[in-house]
Amino acid sequence: MEKRQGWKRRAFFDWRYIKSELRRSYRLAFILFWSILMYFLVQRYVVSAGVISETSMLPTLPEGDYYLVNKYIYVFAPPERGDIVVLRRDRYASEQYVKRVIGLPGESLQIRSGAVYINGRRLEEPYAHDPTSPDLGPLTLQQETYFVMGDNRLVSEDSRHYGPVPFSQVKGKIGPDRLFPFR
């Protein structure tokens, strides 16, 4: 390959500016491509943002609040009771729901007289807005399934209506607290 007069071969990411540099546009395209790719990878597997579009988590999460979903936390530890999770009701649905984990795998759950009982003991729920109805159970949760409910029990459509949620439908955890305190 023959060198032109005044042209030097340079490294791809050389910082020096040369006015007639041909690789500058390739460098910008390279940076743009990898920036877009990293954005989509981070949004898909690490963290994403959302907006509360329902009133089922009142008063904890008001409608219109912004939140961040930690998508990688459940790679290291399973969901715990009280976690606020983002889930999809079925594999192909595009709508996401925000609910609180109430029952864990292997536990016996019963709803009786407006209260939730786990393995025969009443569950203290300071976050619950209304009494829990209708009566349900006793129900034993299978492995890798979770019983989820909203905090505003009168309007929440949750595991009382569509059953326990498999772990594969849990997309991530909201927390700690709300990470976007502004609207």
Side-chain angles (χ1 to χ4, degrees):
M1 181 168 160
E2 181 179 313
K3 288 188 179 182
R4 296 183 195 165
Q5 188 173 5
W7 287 79
K8 307 191 284 187
R9 188 160 183 83
R10 295 190 319 144
F12 191 71
F13 281 107
D14 195 352
W15 60 272
R16 292 174 286 159
Y17 175 75
I18 296 177
K19 186 175 182 179
S20 60
E21 176 66 51
L22 295 177
R23 291 191 181 190
R24 190 171 53 183
S25 59
Y26 296 127
R27 188 177 341 154
L28 291 174
F30 180 83
I31 292 170
L32 182 63
F33 169 76
W34 283 104
S35 299
I36 292 171
L37 181 66
M38 290 306 295
Y39 167 77
F40 284 112
L41 287 175
V42 166
Q43 183 181 10
R44 171 85 174 151
Y45 297 108
V46 180
V47 68
S48 66
V51 179
I52 302 292
S53 61
E54 55 187 25
T55 59
S56 70
M57 287 302 290
L58 279 174
T60 307
L61 297 172
E63 187 176 11
D65 249 11
Y66 297 94
Y67 61 87
L68 288 178
V69 181
N70 184 343
K71 294 184 175 187
Y72 65 88
I73 192 159
Y74 293 137
V75 171
F76 304 109
E80 298 176 0
R81 187 179 340 279
D83 284 357
I84 299 175
V85 297
V86 174
L87 57 100
R88 291 200 172 137
R89 281 199 1 212
D90 61 26
R91 233 171 102 168
Y92 304 107
S94 62
E95 191 170 352
Q96 295 183 346
Y97 297 91
V98 178
K99 304 292 178 195
R100 187 179 300 271
V101 175
I102 302 297
L104 302 173
E107 293 181 336
S108 176
L109 182 131
Q110 184 176 16
I111 299 174
R112 184 176 69 230
S113 303
V116 177
Y117 292 87
I118 304 289
N119 295 331
R121 292 185 176 172
R122 184 177 177 164
L123 180 63
E124 293 299 320
E125 299 180 289
Y127 44 78
H129 191 263
D130 298 310
T132 307
S133 62
D135 288 353
L136 177 77
L139 169 72
T140 302
L141 298 174
Q142 302 297 320
Q143 292 301 318
E144 299 290 320
T145 60
Y146 295 88
F147 198 86
V148 296
M149 289 195 285
D151 291 351
N152 191 1
R153 303 284 165 86
L154 292 179
V155 299
S156 178
E157 187 175 317
D158 46 38
S159 288
R160 295 173 291 171
H161 301 94
Y162 49 77
V165 176
F167 178 71
S168 61
Q169 293 175 2
V170 176
K171 299 302 171 196
K173 176 181 176 180
I174 296 177
D177 209 11
R178 290 188 312 250
L179 297 178
F180 283 146
F182 49 88
R183 285 185 179 218

